[in-house]
Amino acid sequence: MLKIKEEKQDTDIHFQIQIKDDRYLEQFKLVLQFFDDNKVYTDVLSYPYENHEYRVIVREDYYNDFLAEMLKARLLQSLKWNDLVL
């Protein structure tokens, strides 16, 4: 349904996301709208491209919130951290 590439750059996390199935496009747009509607302008920034591709830049302190919204929208099935820091 989605192709996601994640990369840390400085204090932000950059996602390259392609919606491969149009059925999930509206759900993804609702996730972006959630962050557009809150009072923090720089938490999640998104840039649309052709073929339902998006560049999404997430501030590091909103990383978990972004992933939680993706889970709530059922765009992710599970999460796993490879480098757990306690």
Side-chain angles (χ1 to χ4, degrees):
M1 27 186 252
L2 300 176
K3 180 179 177 183
I4 300 175
K5 182 180 176 186
E6 174 185 334
E7 179 180 66
K8 182 164 175 39
Q9 293 186 9
D10 297 321
T11 59
D12 298 324
I13 313 299
H14 291 233
F15 290 90
Q16 194 69 33
I17 300 174
Q18 182 180 22
I19 312 298
K20 294 186 154 274
D21 188 329
D22 288 348
R23 295 180 295 168
Y24 301 102
L25 184 58
E26 206 51 46
Q27 288 168 265
F28 180 69
K29 287 181 179 180
L30 289 174
V31 170
L32 297 178
Q33 189 65 44
F34 173 84
F35 291 100
D36 285 345
D37 289 345
N38 70 11
K39 294 180 180 183
V40 182
Y41 176 70
T42 60
D43 54 356
V44 174
L45 302 173
S46 63
Y47 303 93
Y49 295 93
E50 293 179 3
N51 300 321
H52 303 307
E53 288 190 40
Y54 292 82
R55 178 80 162 171
V56 180
I57 301 172
V58 179
R59 264 185 23 196
E60 192 172 35
D61 52 335
Y62 282 89
Y63 178 74
N64 292 341
D65 296 331
F66 177 72
L67 294 178
E69 287 302 314
M70 293 285 284
L71 271 172
K72 284 194 254 180
R74 298 181 182 220
L75 295 171
L76 299 176
Q77 294 178 342
S78 65
L79 294 173
K80 178 182 174 186
W81 276 259
N82 289 332
D83 58 341
L84 182 62
V85 178
L86 298 175

